[in-house]
Amino acid sequence: MTLLRPRGRRIPLNAAATVTVVVCLFPVYWMISTAFKPSRDIRSADPQLVPHTWTLDHFRRAVTADGFELFWRNSVLVTLGAVLLSLLVALGAAFAVARMRWKGRRHFMLMVFIAQMAPWESLIIPIYIISRDTDMLDRLPTLTLVYFMITLPFTIVVLRGFIGTIPPELEEAAQVDGCTRTEAFRRVALPLLMPGLMATSLFGFITAWNEFAYANFLIIKEQDNRTLPVWLSSFQNTFGTDWGATMAASTLFALPALVIFLLLQRHVTAGFAAGAVKG
Amino acid sequence: MPVISERTAPRTPRHRPAPGPPAGPPERRRPRPSHSLWPYALIAPAIAGMLYLLLYPLLRAVLISLQDFRLRQLISGDAEFVGLRNYRTLLSDPRFWEVTGRTFVFMTVNVVLIMVISTLVALMTERLTKAGRTVVLGALVLAWAMPVVAATTVFQWLFHSEFGIVNQSLTSLGFDSFERYPWFADGTAAFVILVVLIVWQSVPFAAITLYSALTTVPTELYESARLDGASGARIFRSVTFPMLRPIFLLVCSLEVIWTFKAFVQIWVMTRGGPGDATTILPVYAVQTALSSQRYDLGSAASMLTVVLMSGVLVLYFRQMLRQEDESR
């Protein structure tokens, strides 16, 4: 396709590509570079694209801020818990849907699709009340369960797509060689499923790491159980107009997501293609 | 995600262009129906999760919206049923209608911008050289990976009245009226910033998905269309778009759902202000429920949001299906 295109068309095309890249990256770049600039450069009339002098002061202030380690730990615990739980539950369900024939299979998938469109933002009030009635308010396991449920439908759908691409013959052969069904799955199918597991766990990670609304409204009295997004949103109030520290805190919060996403980029696109196109 | 492919092509995976990773095994290879309990045991945890964490809360929300449920009832727990009174209260409140109208404006502006821009970006990405494509996709992925709260905070900083780079650039370009322009004090300006933020966050996902769909369109189709003398726009309309339609429809409906539910960006950035200028339905529901402690009205507003959103999607699907019939 590109070969058929006349050369003259390349210039506007490359200009458009440059604009896209700059627009995508500038906010991310501006966050990181502000975090490294000394305060007087942040509050200057002519902003510098590249910091003249670099400083780690803002990061130091963000890290030593009240409870930073605690909130970081909370976020990691909740995120990992939700991702692992949803992978485990979804793997079973996806295997049942992709590999077994049973009554109600199509109904189950339909339910999963509907659950995927669930209006999560509309359920804050009842979940708040249910958590309060069961003494689960202000506790991290509540958040873990909610995030598990938010990521579960997507995980089932994508894993089902991936399991569908692994020929059952491979497992059958292993079974003939004397493996049990579970063993055959673990030794043969599971390694082939790794890209799918990575793509879905990444999605789960981003969702849970990011989630703000539930974390903000279900953790009220126990301030020690807050998560990073809530902490970040309250940061400006605590630090007033300290934009250096705010940007350092944002960088520290965004970094894991950016790094993991970039590392797993290929699996993500493959996972989305498998989930979206194959069905 | 795959709602559409499931509906339009049940059991006929071989008739669809086989894109992306290796195509699935043909349907006939599936094992015969078994009467074992294994499948039910395997889906049981997923079912339990959906019942307890999705269906039950949803039913509770409906229940609360039919009750007189305020702070007192929250503590004592003996709420009284009042029928549709909460819905009547909402529907006769002009503020609710203002918010609803604003929600639709917000949704439409965002979705149109997202779909147009991401289609253009996807088409552009396909035409780039391999190196250029890698850079563009990498940039899109990074913007996509930026956590919502972090991105919102960064946009507050970009549009800061005194030290924000946007005001400083605009001023240095000669637009002196932007000297210390307080973006968040003016309703329209705050609304615009939220649209920019949401479009910036949403385009990467839509563009990458549309781009991966584009790569599955067979090149021969373009070549024969070009040999027939079709123009670029004509090729897009007659070849590219029809092939993309299922994915386009899917992305578009996801964006409708996501922008209809946009809450975090607004809550973190403006809390719905100044005044009511950026209050859309989800923000209104949370404000009503948690700040004014009218849990009943908040739940009713949430339920109305769900109904309206489903309505938009149904209308939209019908429209798309009708267009499809006509074009045949």
Side-chain angles (χ1 to χ4, degrees):
Chain A
M1 196 150 176
T2 33
L3 294 174
L4 294 169
R5 206 148 281 276
R7 286 221 143 251
R9 292 249 199 119
R10 295 242 135 243
I11 295 161
L13 190 64
N14 287 336
T18 313
V19 170
T20 312
V21 171
V22 169
V23 170
C24 282
L25 292 187
F26 187 74
V28 185
Y29 170 75
W30 200 241
M31 165 183 86
I32 299 174
S33 68
T34 305
F36 282 108
K37 276 180 206 164
S39 293
R40 66 186 142 76
D41 289 353
I42 293 178
R43 297 161 164 277
S44 101
D46 71 313
Q48 302 123 11
L49 279 179
V50 183
H52 289 316
T53 37
W54 299 70
T55 173
L56 287 173
D57 280 357
H58 305 304
F59 285 98
R60 218 165 287 137
R61 245 187 347 277
V63 170
T64 51
D66 226 11
F68 175 79
E69 266 170 67
L70 200 60
F71 302 141
W72 186 270
R73 197 207 60 175
N74 291 345
S75 267
V76 170
L77 280 182
V78 169
T79 305
L80 284 185
V83 169
L84 291 180
L85 194 59
S86 116
L87 275 186
L88 204 66
V89 172
L91 198 58
F95 185 77
V97 174
R99 282 297 163 79
M100 298 171 175
R101 273 267 160 118
W102 36 282
K103 233 180 158 176
R105 195 170 62 103
R106 298 189 74 81
H107 290 111
F108 175 73
M109 273 326 278
L110 190 67
M111 221 171 95
V112 172
F113 289 138
I114 295 172
Q116 202 170 3
M117 300 213 194
W120 287 105
E121 283 71 9
S122 308
L123 296 182
I124 291 187
I125 301 157
I127 289 184
Y128 172 85
I129 289 170
I130 293 168
S131 319
R132 196 208 48 164
D133 291 348
T134 49
D135 227 1
M136 291 289 280
L137 208 59
D138 282 327
R139 293 175 58 184
L140 291 176
T142 314
L143 288 184
T144 312
L145 279 177
V146 172
Y147 300 167
F148 150 70
M149 196 52 228
I150 294 180
T151 52
L152 182 68
F154 177 86
T155 314
I156 294 180
V157 166
V158 175
L159 284 184
R160 185 191 73 139
F162 271 96
I163 294 179
T165 63
I166 301 171
E169 288 89 345
L170 288 181
E171 284 162 78
E172 279 159 25
Q175 272 171 287
V176 170
D177 289 346
C179 286
T180 64
R181 191 164 192 174
T182 328
E183 253 177 14
F185 182 76
R186 194 170 56 84
R187 296 206 186 161
V188 181
L190 207 56
L192 293 171
L193 264 180
M194 276 330 265
L197 291 175
M198 277 201 239
T200 46
S201 51
L202 174 74
F203 170 80
F205 173 85
I206 298 286
T207 311
W209 188 254
N210 248 323
E211 209 284 329
F212 171 81
Y214 280 87
N216 194 35
F217 293 115
L218 294 184
I219 307 287
I220 301 163
K221 287 191 203 112
E222 288 295 326
Q223 295 285 309
D224 281 355
N225 280 344
R226 286 190 298 169
T227 55
L228 277 171
V230 181
W231 173 73
L232 184 59
S233 79
S234 63
F235 205 88
Q236 293 170 64
N237 305 332
T238 327
F239 278 71
T241 49
D242 188 348
W243 281 98
T246 307
M247 286 303 110
S250 304
T251 308
L252 289 173
F253 167 63
L255 218 52
L258 295 178
V259 169
I260 295 182
F261 224 93
L262 215 56
L263 285 179
L264 296 183
Q265 192 195 144
R266 215 157 284 168
H267 299 300
V268 183
T269 354
F272 269 100
V277 186
K278 263 187 55 54
Chain B
M1 301 216 45
V3 195
I4 284 133
S5 40
E6 182 78 3
R7 271 195 202 142
T8 51
R11 286 168 193 276
T12 51
R14 317 186 102 195
H15 294 270
R16 299 172 58 75
E27 201 81 357
R28 66 184 159 81
R29 279 297 317 158
R30 281 197 200 282
R32 266 162 269 108
S34 76
H35 294 284
S36 93
L37 287 175
W38 261 111
Y40 300 102
L42 286 174
I43 61 162
I47 297 267
M50 282 194 251
L51 289 181
Y52 184 66
L53 291 160
L54 184 59
L55 196 65
Y56 177 49
L58 197 61
L59 293 177
R60 278 297 285 265
V62 174
L63 218 61
I64 294 167
S65 75
L66 299 173
Q67 289 173 328
D68 180 30
F69 204 109
R70 305 177 197 205
L71 189 60
R72 200 169 55 77
Q73 283 78 8
L74 184 72
I75 295 161
S76 65
D78 51 345
E80 211 181 298
F81 278 94
V82 292
L84 295 174
R85 193 184 75 189
N86 293 318
Y87 291 94
R88 271 201 300 274
T89 313
L90 277 184
L91 295 177
S92 57
D93 179 7
R95 183 171 167 233
F96 174 80
W97 288 108
E98 263 169 49
V99 171
T100 308
R102 192 176 302 114
T103 310
F104 276 93
V105 173
F106 185 75
M107 192 260 303
T108 315
V109 170
N110 273 313
V111 172
V112 168
L113 283 175
I114 292 168
M115 291 319 289
V116 170
I117 295 175
S118 51
T119 308
L120 290 176
V121 170
L123 287 170
M124 173 197 84
T125 310
E126 207 210 6
R127 283 162 176 71
L128 289 171
T129 55
K130 193 158 183 289
R133 203 152 49 205
T134 313
V135 174
V136 169
L137 286 175
L140 286 171
V141 164
L142 268 175
W144 180 13
M146 186 81 163
V148 182
V149 176
T152 311
T153 320
V154 173
F155 270 69
Q156 278 176 301
W157 169 231
L158 291 174
F159 288 93
H160 191 273
S161 62
E162 263 179 89
F163 308 114
I165 180 86
V166 175
N167 276 353
Q168 283 166 344
S169 314
L170 287 171
T171 315
S172 68
L173 284 175
F175 299 100
D176 288 332
S177 54
F178 284 100
E179 170 100 46
R180 303 199 166 207
Y181 182 73
W183 289 89
F184 299 102
D186 179 65
T188 320
F191 192 88
V192 168
I193 294 179
L194 281 168
V195 170
V196 171
L197 169 64
I198 286 175
V199 170
W200 183 80
Q201 286 179 320
S202 317
V203 162
F205 164 78
I208 290 177
T209 313
L210 289 175
Y211 164 72
S212 21
L214 267 179
T215 55
T216 68
V217 179
T219 336
E220 300 85 49
L221 284 180
Y222 290 120
E223 279 161 18
S224 60
R226 207 163 290 129
L227 284 178
D228 290 345
S231 66
R234 177 70 210 231
I235 294 178
F236 179 77
R237 204 153 41 86
S238 316
V239 182
T240 318
F241 188 71
M243 298 289 287
L244 279 191
R245 187 177 279 141
I247 295 283
F248 192 85
L249 188 69
L250 176 73
V251 172
C252 195
S253 46
L254 282 174
E255 297 298 347
V256 168
I257 296 175
W258 287 337
T259 49
F260 219 104
K261 299 196 301 193
F263 170 80
V264 177
Q265 295 93 336
I266 300 179
W267 193 261
V268 172
M269 200 178 256
T270 64
R271 302 252 154 162
D276 243 357
T278 54
T279 302
I280 65 166
L281 279 167
V283 179
Y284 175 85
V286 168
Q287 274 177 358
T288 316
L290 298 174
S291 313
S292 345
Q293 273 139 6
R294 288 297 306 259
Y295 302 95
D296 46 4
L297 283 180
S299 285
S302 292
M303 292 305 107
L304 286 175
T305 311
V306 174
V307 171
L308 284 173
M309 195 171 76
S310 325
V312 173
L313 288 176
V314 168
L315 268 180
Y316 173 73
F317 274 108
R318 277 184 55 186
Q319 182 66 26
M320 283 303 274
L321 291 178
R322 197 172 299 151
Q323 275 174 6
E324 219 151 295
D325 285 342
E326 276 165 13
S327 64
R328 274 201 187 126

